[in-house]
Amino acid sequence: MTAATTANGSHTIEDATLTKTPLAAPVQETELFEELYQMQCFRTGEFFLKSGQMTPIYIDLRRIMSSPRILRMAAQAMCDKIVAKNLKFDYVVGVPYAALPLATLVSDILNVPMLMKRKEAKAYGTKQLIEGVYSPGGTVLLVEDVVTSGESIRETAEAIRKENLLVHDAIAVLDRQQGATANLAKDELNFLSFLTMEGVLDGMIRKNEMTEERKHEIIAHLAKPF
Ligand SMILES: O=P(O)(O)OC[C@H]1O[C@H](OP(=O)(O)OP(=O)(O)O)[C@H](O)[C@@H]1O
């Protein structure tokens, strides 16, 4: 391993001994839905989101860290999309906190270095908001678990751009389809997801846990501004 020092004293780590982990067979949407369903990641009822909005369906992907196999499958699904879209980046950053385990695996599968963005800078130590080894001008790919408004991605991109890093793309396991794509485009962020809310609701219909009528009610509810 070699560490190259740049003009401002930051480093890049180059490890010629690392090779990319071969990608497994592409993950299918229905396959990942089934695993998330079995892990009880989809809950109907009344829940409140970060935005304060009530939602009749809550999607909790934090649960999957308790299954290394499913966590890896979700990361692999994003990697399939990253490779298919030919996204170019030098670092992977998870949107804290829920996406950190996913970002770690994306970094591992694609053999691209990871950085970590803190929610708040510490008042001691180096006081850095972005942890890890990087060079200004590098490009970051943001990784999320579930996206609602896209605000958490936007905040993370803003902090990263302040460090003179570039961000063009963000990818999530699941898009709740509540305006994130359009919101993020305003900040010149291209947003992709592997699963969608509509896909989840269709999966729940297949499980006889939802009717078509209820699906349309939920989609109409989620389309309301918040
Ligand atoms: O698109 P948004 O409207 O920003 O909502 C999505 C964000 O909300 C959740 O995180 P949360 O804020 O609950 O924090 P956590 O990841 O620390 O659990 C989720 O993990 C996303 O980061």
Side-chain angles (χ1 to χ4, degrees):
M1 182 179 288
T2 59
T5 306
T6 60
N8 72 347
S10 64
H11 294 79
T12 53
I13 301 285
E14 294 157 18
D15 190 339
T17 64
L18 288 174
T19 52
K20 289 191 181 199
T21 308
L23 293 177
V27 177
Q28 304 300 312
E29 285 180 34
T30 49
E31 180 188 16
L32 184 59
F33 168 83
E34 185 63 33
E35 298 289 1
L36 299 179
Y37 178 86
Q38 296 300 337
M39 283 222 68
Q40 300 176 10
C41 294
F42 310 125
R43 294 177 64 187
T44 51
E46 280 205 356
F47 302 89
F48 289 86
L49 299 172
K50 182 182 178 184
S51 60
Q53 186 198 32
M54 191 285 285
T55 176
I57 179 162
Y58 188 68
I59 296 171
D60 185 359
L61 297 193
R62 296 171 193 89
R63 297 175 67 81
I64 64 175
M65 73 178 92
S66 302
S67 166
R69 184 180 64 82
I70 299 172
L71 182 67
R72 189 169 181 90
M73 186 187 285
Q76 177 74 55
M78 286 191 284
C79 291
D80 294 343
K81 196 133 199 159
I82 290 164
V83 171
K85 297 284 179 187
N86 200 22
L87 301 186
K88 302 288 183 204
F89 50 94
D90 305 301
Y91 309 101
V92 174
V93 172
V95 176
Y97 295 105
L100 298 184
L102 287 163
T104 307
L105 286 186
V106 168
S107 160
D108 182 51
I109 292 168
L110 298 178
N111 190 29
V112 175
M114 185 174 80
L115 304 174
M116 186 180 77
K117 188 249 168 200
R118 294 182 173 280
K119 278 202 176 179
E120 289 162 4
K122 295 196 298 187
Y124 56 93
T126 60
K127 301 181 183 174
Q128 293 193 146
L129 197 60
I130 311 289
E131 303 283 6
V133 177
Y134 59 91
S135 298
T139 300
V140 167
L141 170 75
L142 293 179
V143 172
E144 255 287 32
D145 60 332
V146 179
V147 171
T148 305
S149 64
E151 178 57 17
S152 304
I153 288 178
R154 193 203 61 74
E155 285 170 7
T156 306
E158 184 176 62
I160 284 169
R161 285 169 172 166
K162 278 187 185 154
E163 296 296 316
N164 295 317
L165 289 161
L166 306 173
V167 192
H168 309 301
D169 301 296
I171 188 159
V173 177
L174 196 147
D175 178 12
R176 290 179 53 97
Q177 295 175 290
Q178 294 184 254
T181 301
N183 291 344
L184 292 169
K186 290 179 205 156
D187 282 282
E188 296 182 11
L189 289 164
N190 170 48
F191 172 56
L192 303 166
S193 79
F194 184 75
L195 296 176
T196 61
M197 175 62 89
E198 196 161 3
V200 168
L201 296 176
D202 284 338
M204 294 181 84
I205 291 171
R206 288 197 302 275
K207 298 256 175 215
N208 292 320
E209 289 212 7
M210 183 152 313
T211 61
E212 278 286 348
E213 190 184 12
R214 183 65 184 139
K215 170 189 160 181
H216 292 298
E217 282 170 9
I218 290 175
I219 286 177
H221 174 86
L222 297 179
K224 289 180 195 157
F226 53 91

